[in-house]
């Protein structure tokens, strides 16, 4: 009986993949981009090193503002949106801006690889698009994936630094984000401390 139990345990251990040695590989339709700066907790600027279209035309170093799909962080600067968030949340504008700065700092901590003086160095990321790839302001709308396979949008909302914001037709991870948001609030993480 012991030999049979030992055999079952060994069979199970052999069948479980070793995650430490495997690297995450983004799907082919994800777009590789280098983060240039963090604008806000839910907005970044990226450079796409090289894009080929029509199988022959190549564009290099295109810069885009990327709005992270499915999440909304408080504004970190005084603007019309910050005033709206202040009215909706019944908090003063300075509190909204302070929370926005915390959210921006958290997002930056997930993307920064180093600093030299005032210069910051950021990660290469991978952009996943949903049904609508751009908003009316010309920003790209994307789920941003870190090199280790974690999704930036999800990390921010699970960390307690964003509200869920679903705008159809981009709803792919809506339920996942809502679960993360509820859990972060219950556990008083991030901005909910």
């Amino acid at each position: 009986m012991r030999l049979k139990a030992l055999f079952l345990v060994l069979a199970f251990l052999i069948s479980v993949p070793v995650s430490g040695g495997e690297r995450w590989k983004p799907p082919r339709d994800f777009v590789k981009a280098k983060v240039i700066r963090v604008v806000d907790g839910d907005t970044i600027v990226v450079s796409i090193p090289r894009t080929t279209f029509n199988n022959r035309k190549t564009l290099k170093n295109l810069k885009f503002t990327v709005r992270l799909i499915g999440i909304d962080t408080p504004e970190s600067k005084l603007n019309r949106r910050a005033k709206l968030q202040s009215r909706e949340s019944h908090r003063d504008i300075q509190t909204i801006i302070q929370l926005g700065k915390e959210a921006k700092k958290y997002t930056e901590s997930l993307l920064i690889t180093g600093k030299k003086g005032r210069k910051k160095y950021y990660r290469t990321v991978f952009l996943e698009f949903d049904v609508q790839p751009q908003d009316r302001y010309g920003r790209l709308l994307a789920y941003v994936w870190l090199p280790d396979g974690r999704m930036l949008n999800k990390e921010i909302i699970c960390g307690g630094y964003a509200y869920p914001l679903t705008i159809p037709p981009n709803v792919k991870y809506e339920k996942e984000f809502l679960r993360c948001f509820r859990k972060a609030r219950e556990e008083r993480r991030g901005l909910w401390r």
Side-chain angles (χ1 to χ4, degrees), residues 1 4 59 66 115 124 159:
M1 190 67 166
K4 188 175 181 181
L59 299 175
V66 177
K115 279 175 143 180
T124 295

Side-chain angles (χ1 to χ4, degrees), residues 71-124:
I71 68 170
D72 187 33
T73 62
E75 295 297 309
S76 61
K77 294 180 183 149
L78 180 60
N79 58 30
R80 204 171 36 196
R81 179 92 176 112
K83 290 175 185 175
L84 177 66
Q85 288 175 338
S86 175
R87 280 193 306 273
E88 288 176 348
S89 67
H90 306 290
R91 292 182 171 186
D92 66 278
I93 197 88
Q94 293 308 319
T95 300
I96 295 297
I97 292 170
Q98 185 55 43
L99 293 173
K101 288 178 180 179
E102 286 183 44
K104 178 181 178 179
K105 188 176 176 182
Y106 183 74
T107 299
E108 201 165 60
S109 75
L110 295 168
L111 293 171
I112 201 160
T113 59
K115 279 175 143 180
K116 190 172 187 178
R118 297 187 80 184
K119 177 126 175 89
K120 297 175 184 173
Y121 297 93
Y122 295 97
R123 297 185 184 287
T124 295

